[in-house]
Amino acid sequence: MPKPRIRIIDDDEESCSEIADALMASGYDCSWAHSPDSMMAPHEPAPDILILDLSMPRVDGFQVIQNLAGAGRQPHLIVASGHEQRIIRAAVRSAQEAGLHVLGALEKPYSIASLLALVESRLTAPGKTADDHAALIGHLVDTQTLTSHVQTAFQSKHRLLNGDIVGYEALLRISVDGCSVNPEAVFAPAVALHDQLAVTRTVLDDALRFGSTLRSAGANLPIAVNCTPALLCAPDFQDLVFSGLDRWSMPASSLLIEITEHETVYSFDALATAVSRLAMRDCGISIDDFGRGATSLERLFDLPLTELKIDREIFWKCVDGREPPALLKEVVRYCDDRNITSTIEGIETVNHLEHAVSMGARNGQGYLWGTPSLDTEGLLRLFSTS
């Protein structure tokens, strides 16, 4: 699938030039203009993605959005602005109500990594609904080709105070004909548990292979793998984990199981039993996306947790004032009192980093340090000695 054509509209010429250079270095056809007058220049091909600054001379981004809505071919939109989050959210809502497809919004200054993440989301199956993704997964299951489309990307976790890498998270990626499929569709109730286990086995094997290579390079870092409560409670799951550890000669302490908090826990007692068995043999236990689900904090601490990961949406709400920062500070303090590592997700800017540090959290994860990577050899070079 060809990479999308990008056009930047921003009156900050220095910033435009820097961003355009970075996008072109990543293989994108990119142009920029300092005025919306030349936004859809007739002598240039129409862009697939438009990166729009909200503040420009003579016209603001809201007017541009309305003009775009009446255009013949409408590009996908990324809103970029130095205004406060409430104004940015209003612009996104305005674009969506006008029928435009919004890839996302970025608060200036933003990292190139966070921009690339939004740009690359255009390469996912465009316009597909959740039902479309579910149908595609169903087809792969029916044709017994699901695991052959599985890839594993790795995203680093960092110590907030000094930026050191403290671990990696293995992330499921499914690609069909160059388009990405929402990995959550794999773990829907319609997909049989044995098929979910087969996908998880592939990701776990990739994760342990990468962890083993890291150890050989002198970096004894834990690798996290996401699992739903249903998977954790499956009769075969324990054997799947420990046979994988044996196969790669990895200690159980090198593996961190991240429980996906957004799934309803149908039997908390069964989940507690499953994770306790893993913890007894030294596997780490983490709650992923805490704050997205409805389970109480006290109930979660009935589990033998090693880590609590705070959902990025909750964190962002605290950063922009929609929720009191004291809320997360209390969660972090609660973790500290129980010797549980607090990790904040969604750190994409220096401002995010400063807020995360001020909340007292120990670790962080997000596009500030780069996007998830399929290139394990490139990641290993970070630890190679000269």
Side-chain angles (χ1 to χ4, degrees):
M1 182 177 182
K3 288 193 173 183
R5 185 179 296 108
I6 302 169
R7 189 158 180 79
I8 307 166
I9 306 297
D10 193 322
D11 62 338
D12 183 341
E13 295 190 17
E14 182 178 349
S15 175
C16 272
S17 179
E18 179 183 346
I19 294 167
D21 287 347
L23 288 170
M24 287 188 287
S26 296
Y28 291 93
D29 179 354
C30 182
S31 60
W32 61 271
H34 56 78
S35 167
D37 297 338
S38 56
M39 179 173 60
M40 310 289 276
H43 61 281
E44 293 186 3
D48 301 300
I49 296 175
L50 187 69
I51 303 171
L52 176 65
D53 182 23
L54 293 181
S55 295
M56 288 168 291
R58 300 187 309 279
V59 62
D60 63 49
F62 286 87
Q63 292 171 285
V64 175
I65 286 169
Q66 294 308 311
N67 293 339
L68 277 174
R73 180 168 181 256
Q74 299 168 344
H76 290 67
L77 184 66
I78 294 175
V79 175
S81 177
H83 285 291
E84 62 173 294
Q85 282 288 333
R86 283 170 290 192
I87 293 176
I88 296 174
R89 290 197 300 272
V92 169
R93 289 195 299 270
S94 175
Q96 291 170 334
E97 289 170 3
L100 301 179
H101 185 270
V102 183
L103 292 179
L106 294 169
E107 181 182 356
K108 298 171 71 174
Y110 52 83
S111 69
I112 296 300
S114 59
L115 173 59
L116 284 172
L118 287 181
V119 167
E120 288 169 5
S121 70
R122 171 62 176 78
L123 298 175
T124 64
K128 289 191 179 294
T129 66
D131 288 342
D132 294 328
H133 287 279
L136 186 49
I137 292 298
H139 172 72
L140 295 179
V141 169
D142 291 343
T143 57
Q144 299 182 356
T145 58
L146 178 56
T147 55
S148 66
H149 289 84
V150 168
Q151 294 178 298
T152 305
F154 293 92
Q155 185 173 29
S156 54
K157 297 182 184 181
H158 295 256
R159 185 171 293 113
L160 291 177
L161 291 180
N162 60 14
D164 286 351
I165 297 175
V166 295
Y168 283 92
E169 179 181 1
L171 297 168
L172 170 64
R173 296 289 184 262
I174 296 180
S175 180
V176 180
D177 296 329
C179 291
S180 296
V181 182
N182 185 352
E184 291 191 7
V186 173
F187 303 104
V191 179
L193 191 59
H194 66 83
D195 290 312
Q196 296 181 28
L197 281 167
V199 170
T200 302
R201 182 183 295 108
T202 300
V203 174
L204 178 65
D205 204 56
D206 288 344
L208 294 174
R209 179 190 299 113
F210 179 51
S212 176
T213 311
L214 281 173
R215 288 175 68 85
S216 297
N220 297 328
L221 299 175
I223 308 296
V225 174
N226 290 294
C227 295
T228 66
L231 281 171
L232 282 161
C233 296
D236 297 336
F237 186 77
Q238 302 278 328
D239 288 342
L240 183 153
V241 168
F242 292 105
S243 63
L245 288 166
D246 289 343
R247 183 162 55 254
W248 292 101
S249 301
M250 294 285 284
S253 58
S254 66
L255 180 64
L256 184 65
I257 300 294
E258 291 191 10
I259 308 169
T260 52
E261 163 61 4
H262 60 276
E263 178 180 311
T264 301
V265 178
Y266 59 90
S267 172
F268 189 88
D269 290 339
L271 176 63
T273 296
V275 298
S276 293
R277 292 181 63 199
L278 292 167
M280 286 173 60
R281 296 178 65 175
D282 287 338
C283 287
I285 305 297
S286 173
I287 291 290
D288 193 22
D289 297 328
F290 174 73
R292 187 190 297 184
T295 308
S296 70
L297 189 63
E298 290 80 4
R299 188 66 162 146
L300 290 176
F301 284 119
D302 285 340
L303 302 176
L305 296 183
T306 306
E307 177 190 53
L308 186 76
K309 296 182 70 178
I310 296 167
D311 181 64
R312 65 179 183 177
E313 295 291 342
I314 298 297
F315 171 60
W316 289 346
K317 286 180 181 179
C318 291
V319 170
D320 63 31
R322 287 177 286 162
E323 297 287 353
L327 176 71
L328 288 191
K329 288 182 180 179
E330 182 61 23
V331 172
V332 170
R333 185 197 63 78
Y334 207 71
C335 288
D336 287 344
D337 289 348
R338 289 155 181 79
N339 197 31
I340 296 169
T341 298
S342 53
T343 299
I344 292 182
E345 300 179 286
I347 298 177
E348 298 188 352
T349 66
V350 173
N351 182 46
H352 285 164
L353 176 60
E354 291 171 349
H355 275 83
V357 171
S358 71
M359 291 171 185
R362 191 180 307 175
N363 295 335
Q365 190 172 353
Y367 293 150
L368 176 66
W369 296 285
T371 57
S373 177
L374 296 167
D375 180 14
T376 54
E377 291 186 3
L379 295 176
L380 284 168
R381 284 194 290 271
L382 297 173
F383 303 95
S384 61
T385 57
S386 56

